[in-house]
Amino acid sequence: MILLLGITLCVLLVVFLLLLFARQLINKNKIERLKKEKQLVATQSVLEGETAERTRLARDLHDGLGGMLSSVRFNLYGLKNGATIDNNDVDLFNKALNTLDESIRELRRVAHNMMPNSLTRYGLKPALVDFCNSISIVKFSYFGSGNRLDSKLEVMIYRTVHELINNALKHTGAEEIIVQVIQELDRIAITVQDDGCGFDATSPTEGTGLNNIQDRVGSYNGRMEIWSKVGEGTEISVEFILSE
Ligand SMILES: Nc1ncnc2c1ncn2[C@@H]1O[C@H](COP(=O)(O)OP(=O)(O)OP(=O)(O)O)[C@@H](O)[C@H]1O
Ligand SMILES: [Mg+2]
């Protein structure tokens, strides 16, 4: 009888311990999930804030300053046709007009890169085609449907490609940059490859570009992999998971 009671108590104790363990495991998983959700919300709110700010800045630059410069240009061209300008000043005047034309083009380029219209209006693929075609050494291919994605994700991916190409232009002296995007139902993968100077990806850096990409990729359960060797170029691939 005592033996039976003992065995029953032992079994109850084991069951109790197992239940306790299972509960702890569930709690741990729950905490992990909440942490991830919190990180996702935080990253997305930062991105939303940035996107709103960039959109406002781009619009102000384009419509405000851009509009003012265009009206100065219009008046100066009017002056050119009507006024008598001293021969010595004609060259100077034409140079000033050319610089003004260049400034207007540059302003439009900056505003466009800050938040391209084509991204919000037509989606990732056309916006990336536009951007990549504007840089002669970039070879761009897009495989997959090109279907519209969540707008936050589209901005995130656009900025990722933008940053990787900018890095390749800024740091490497590359002669060719190959950009590939593969869009599948459950993931989107980006590879940017350059034949520039390469670098040691393990050494610490002051820059924020690659760290920002890492954070954003993390919030989509994705991953970033860097392959680089000094003197042999760089290949960076980034993957975002579209659905669980
Ligand atoms: N494609 C590349 N080829 C060679 N070096 C690179 C490449 N991409 C990044 N690097 C190196 O890695 C460093 C970190 O890049 P990261 O984009 O984080 O910062 P950054 O470009 O220096 O500054 P930021 O992006 O904040 O303007 C760079 O300073 C550069 O030395
Ligand atoms: Mg950078």
Side-chain angles (χ1 to χ4, degrees):
M1 182 69 183
I2 288 178
L3 187 68
L4 201 66
L5 204 66
I7 291 173
T8 315
L9 273 178
C10 280
V11 169
L12 280 177
L13 193 67
V14 169
V15 169
F16 176 74
L17 285 176
L18 276 177
L19 280 177
L20 202 68
F21 181 69
R23 217 182 121 159
Q24 266 178 353
L25 206 68
I26 289 170
N27 278 345
K28 204 171 149 213
N29 284 343
K30 207 166 153 188
I31 289 170
E32 288 289 313
R33 211 189 60 237
L34 286 176
K35 262 192 196 160
K36 235 181 194 155
E37 277 170 9
K38 210 170 141 193
Q39 193 200 354
L40 181 65
V41 170
T43 312
Q44 292 192 344
S45 337
V46 170
L47 194 73
E48 259 169 48
E50 265 179 35
T51 305
E53 188 58 11
R54 274 170 185 250
T55 309
R56 190 185 64 76
L57 261 173
R59 207 181 37 228
D60 284 359
L61 273 180
H62 184 272
D63 300 352
L65 196 54
M68 280 155 83
L69 287 179
S70 295
S71 79
V72 172
R73 180 179 177 276
F74 178 78
N75 287 332
L76 284 181
Y77 270 97
L79 196 68
K80 189 181 173 186
N81 295 330
T84 23
I85 305 172
D86 196 86
N87 255 355
N88 292 337
D89 293 335
V90 170
D91 250 9
L92 222 58
F93 189 77
N94 281 337
K95 264 189 198 151
L97 274 184
N98 285 341
T99 313
L100 185 62
D101 282 343
E102 262 174 42
S103 312
I104 292 173
R105 273 199 298 274
E106 180 63 10
L107 178 81
R108 294 193 65 209
R109 195 186 62 78
V110 171
H112 180 82
N113 278 344
M114 213 169 250
M115 186 47 69
N117 254 339
S118 51
L119 181 59
T120 19
R121 213 176 277 177
Y122 307 113
L124 190 61
K125 188 174 173 182
L128 285 177
V129 169
D130 259 10
F131 175 57
C132 291
N133 282 348
S134 72
I135 306 163
S136 60
I137 62 169
V138 173
K139 306 259 172 305
F140 178 69
S141 348
Y142 200 108
F143 302 100
S145 64
N147 284 347
R148 294 297 303 256
L149 302 165
D150 169 61
S151 62
K152 279 183 233 132
L153 186 63
E154 286 187 336
V155 173
M156 202 183 288
I157 294 170
Y158 181 84
R159 296 249 189 93
T160 301
V161 177
H162 202 269
E163 172 60 18
L164 293 177
I165 293 179
N166 267 344
N167 275 351
L169 291 172
K170 204 162 63 167
H171 302 297
T172 70
E175 284 177 4
E176 187 173 66
I177 303 170
I178 297 172
V179 181
Q180 281 191 341
V181 178
I182 302 172
Q183 181 177 353
E184 288 169 355
L185 275 182
D186 56 349
R187 68 173 204 131
I188 184 155
I190 300 145
T191 310
V192 176
Q193 202 182 342
D194 69 67
D195 58 359
C197 62
F199 72 113
D200 175 8
T202 54
S203 62
T205 155
E206 302 256 294
T208 52
L210 290 179
N211 285 335
N212 280 347
I213 296 178
Q214 186 74 68
D215 286 350
R216 287 168 181 172
V217 166
S219 71
Y220 272 84
N221 284 329
R223 65 185 171 86
M224 169 165 79
E225 272 168 20
I226 302 177
W227 181 93
S228 189
K229 212 166 181 190
V230 177
E232 289 185 28
T234 302
E235 180 174 323
I236 301 185
S237 51
V238 176
E239 181 184 66
F240 291 93
I241 304 297
L242 298 181
S243 54
E244 292 278 78

